[in-house]
Amino acid sequence: MTPTPLPARLLATEEMDILDGTCQPRARVVTRHDSAHDVTALLTRGLTTTSAGGFFFIPYLLQLGAHDLAAALGPPKPEGLPKERLALGLVFESIFGYTAGIRPVDTVSRADFGLLAGLPFLPSPATQYRFLQSVPVQSALAFQTVLGQRLVALGHVTPGHPVNVDAHNIKTYSRKAMKHSFITQEDRYGKALRTFYTQDQASKKPLIALAAYSGTTVSQVTHRLADLTRDILGRDFLMVADKEWYCGQLIQELHAQYGVAVLTPVKASPKRLEEFDTVPLEQYDQTIWGNVAAVYTTMTDFDGPLRMLLKKRRNGTYFALITPAHAMTAATAMPTYTTRWRIENFFAENAFLGVNHLPSLPLNAIQTMLSLRLLAFHVVDNVRHDLGPASQKQTPELIHREFIDGVQGRVQLRGNIIEVSIYGFAHEAAAAAILTNLETNLENAGVDPRIPWLGNRRLRFTFH
């Protein structure tokens, strides 16, 4: 006997947890049809919000193709909430400042926060965790690669500049509801992580962030890191590293197999110090970095000569850089290495986004969350760039404080247009300059102004 097929609407259901008005999870059977209907009803009825600035970021998600990127994360999900909306919800969590305590704050359980991701409610952490766990590591890294390629296509990253590389140990934290007795003094829960990442030195934009469990070495992960970065840039590049990358075999393989030249400090071993003493530094021209010698040297496990740039510090100790790029001069090497410190500052400056605050889950979920944090960074970075010189050096926390938190507005659907009316905004001139005539501006930039996660409607901003 042939079974009777179920209606499509019933097949597209999923029981999931949502947060009610007091941020307590409760179960609810969700269909995509009902979810879209609820969003439409919410927009038609209209809502007032004190976080209207969150809508400023939607055009930048469109610019980066965030919806299609998120839809490609992991396997197809035909039932329940679309995975791209769960992903965008996590992106907005970062933009609103996860570390500021987004879950405990009652005000963000309002409809305005869920609406930014096209949801009529705020999903509970359990629902988001199930989504994160469904995405393989390879899919999360492919997400980063395509995102980086879009930054290159937009002209936000220009191939040919040096690329910084570094690794940081990061604690993992659980955002699931836990009894206090299960949380240690440091709020630490789960294994420590090591995150390796590359950054375009000129724009300060991160290119790839690769999560690994603590104990993973530079030699084990750098080949993949370099390969992914090269996929983004589409060409050879100079990788500026710290002493962890001082390894002849690694430098050799990167140079020969991946077209990557490493610039790294030399470790001052007794044999190296003897070599430094034989270099007549006084014979070399004086520069702003002192007398810098440009000589050739050798290295264990490296096939052929390397370029070495050597100087003596004011305290009498030596400092040397080594690279397989034979033509590199002191005038290039010294400022290039000094600018590497931008990557050291990256995580501290962007802690508000939660880039150093990841869930204690399997590695694939951690990698997916980290990838979404990078998307949040680029959205915030693109917004502050367009706002003008006064905002370009502000941290995400300051951007949130001045352009999201406490921004009064009314959101209402009129025809196929979502009107966002902003009232009494201190930075009205800066925001209006980029958001007035938004639909025309997006079309002129080759960006489809329709918002896929809000029923393909368009945004219109007015300031009062």
Side-chain angles (χ1 to χ4, degrees):
M1 181 176 177
T2 304
T4 303
L6 291 171
R9 183 177 173 185
L10 291 179
L11 288 173
T13 63
E14 179 181 16
E15 183 171 316
M16 59 182 58
D17 297 323
I18 66 170
L19 296 182
D20 62 18
T22 59
C23 278
Q24 297 300 314
R26 61 186 177 89
R28 172 174 166 179
V29 176
V30 176
T31 71
R32 294 192 174 197
H33 177 274
D34 286 345
S35 179
H37 180 271
D38 289 347
V39 167
T40 299
L42 184 61
L43 287 171
T44 303
R45 184 171 66 248
L47 67 151
T48 58
T49 170
T50 57
S51 300
F55 288 88
F56 297 165
F57 296 85
I58 289 180
Y60 293 88
L61 288 165
L62 295 174
Q63 178 192 49
L64 292 171
H67 183 267
D68 290 344
L69 270 173
L73 282 171
K77 183 176 182 288
E79 73 287 333
L81 291 182
K83 58 185 177 180
E84 54 270 23
R85 298 189 189 185
L86 291 171
L88 290 173
L90 290 166
V91 171
F92 275 109
E93 268 196 14
S94 288
I95 293 173
F96 274 66
Y98 169 70
T99 55
I102 195 165
R103 284 295 176 190
V105 177
D106 179 63
T107 53
V108 297
S109 68
R110 299 168 309 189
D112 54 358
F113 185 80
L115 187 62
L116 291 167
L119 297 173
F121 47 73
L122 188 64
S124 76
T127 297
Q128 293 170 333
Y129 288 168
R130 286 195 293 271
F131 156 69
L132 293 172
Q133 287 178 311
S134 70
V135 182
V137 167
Q138 193 61 40
S139 179
L141 291 175
F143 174 99
Q144 290 188 31
T145 302
V146 175
L147 176 61
Q149 291 169 341
R150 290 185 180 177
L151 294 173
V152 171
L154 289 166
H156 299 169
V157 171
T158 303
H161 291 294
V163 171
N164 300 324
V165 62
D166 203 5
H168 275 244
N169 287 320
I170 299 176
K171 292 178 182 179
T172 54
Y173 296 77
S174 174
R175 299 186 355 240
K176 290 183 179 179
M178 292 186 298
K179 294 180 179 178
H180 290 292
S181 58
F182 292 112
I183 303 177
T184 65
Q185 276 188 323
E186 300 85 10
D187 281 348
R188 182 174 175 178
Y189 184 78
K191 294 183 178 180
L193 286 182
R194 201 155 192 231
T195 304
F196 297 81
Y197 52 106
T198 58
Q199 176 196 48
D200 177 63
Q201 191 173 93
S203 67
K204 298 191 284 188
K205 282 185 172 287
L207 300 175
I208 287 290
L210 182 60
Y213 286 129
S214 185
T216 306
T217 66
V218 161
S219 295
Q220 289 172 322
V221 79
T222 300
H223 300 88
R224 191 178 192 190
L225 197 65
D227 208 19
L228 291 166
T229 302
R230 201 180 193 286
D231 286 343
I232 291 174
L233 300 175
R235 57 166 293 168
D236 300 345
F237 59 92
L238 173 69
M239 180 181 282
V240 191
D242 62 17
K243 287 184 180 179
E244 269 195 290
W245 277 260
Y246 182 77
C247 170
Q249 182 178 348
L250 179 60
I251 295 173
Q252 170 75 39
E253 291 174 356
L254 289 172
H255 187 56
Q257 298 177 24
Y258 298 93
V260 175
V262 177
L263 178 67
T264 183
V266 177
K267 290 184 179 178
S269 65
K271 186 176 179 180
R272 283 291 183 197
L273 290 173
E274 290 179 9
E275 180 185 6
F276 296 163
D277 286 336
T278 64
V279 178
L281 286 171
E282 67 280 356
Q283 296 180 14
Y284 290 86
D285 293 338
Q286 178 75 21
T287 70
I288 60 172
W289 303 281
N291 299 82
V292 182
V295 298
Y296 291 100
T297 188
T298 59
M299 188 177 184
T300 304
D301 295 324
F302 187 88
D303 183 18
L306 289 146
R307 187 74 153 170
M308 184 168 72
L309 295 307
L310 175 68
K311 72 167 189 173
K312 185 175 282 189
R313 298 188 179 99
R314 291 180 180 178
N315 62 5
T317 61
Y318 288 107
F319 174 77
L321 295 169
I322 202 166
T323 179
H326 289 172
M328 186 170 291
T329 64
T332 299
M334 292 302 175
T336 296
Y337 186 75
T338 301
T339 313
R340 194 199 76 85
W341 284 98
R342 288 178 174 176
I343 200 167
E344 300 286 354
N345 297 332
F346 172 76
F347 269 59
E349 291 175 353
N350 297 286
F352 183 77
L353 297 173
V355 293
N356 59 349
H357 202 96
L358 301 171
S360 54
L361 289 170
L363 191 63
N364 58 303
I366 294 167
Q367 184 65 66
T368 304
M369 180 67 91
L370 187 57
S371 299
L372 294 171
R373 301 275 197 239
L374 286 193
L375 174 58
F377 169 84
H378 291 304
V379 170
V380 172
D381 192 46
N382 291 354
V383 170
R384 65 185 173 188
H385 179 273
D386 283 358
L387 286 171
S391 300
Q392 286 173 5
K393 294 185 178 180
Q394 289 185 329
T395 64
E397 186 171 8
L398 285 175
I399 291 292
H400 174 268
R401 186 183 306 167
E402 297 191 14
F403 291 91
I404 300 178
D405 191 36
V407 177
Q408 308 285 328
R410 171 109 182 134
V411 181
Q412 187 147 27
L413 184 64
R414 301 192 185 279
N416 204 35
I417 302 294
I418 301 171
E419 288 197 352
V420 183
S421 302
I422 308 294
Y423 299 97
F425 182 36
H427 303 284
E428 175 183 327
I434 59 176
L435 295 170
T436 304
N437 301 318
L438 176 64
E439 185 173 341
T440 301
N441 294 339
L442 288 173
E443 288 176 339
N444 290 341
V447 178
D448 190 338
R450 295 175 297 177
I451 307 168
W453 61 95
L454 288 174
N456 282 321
R457 301 177 178 99
R458 296 167 170 82
L459 278 179
R460 179 187 296 150
F461 289 92
T462 57
F463 294 85
H464 306 274

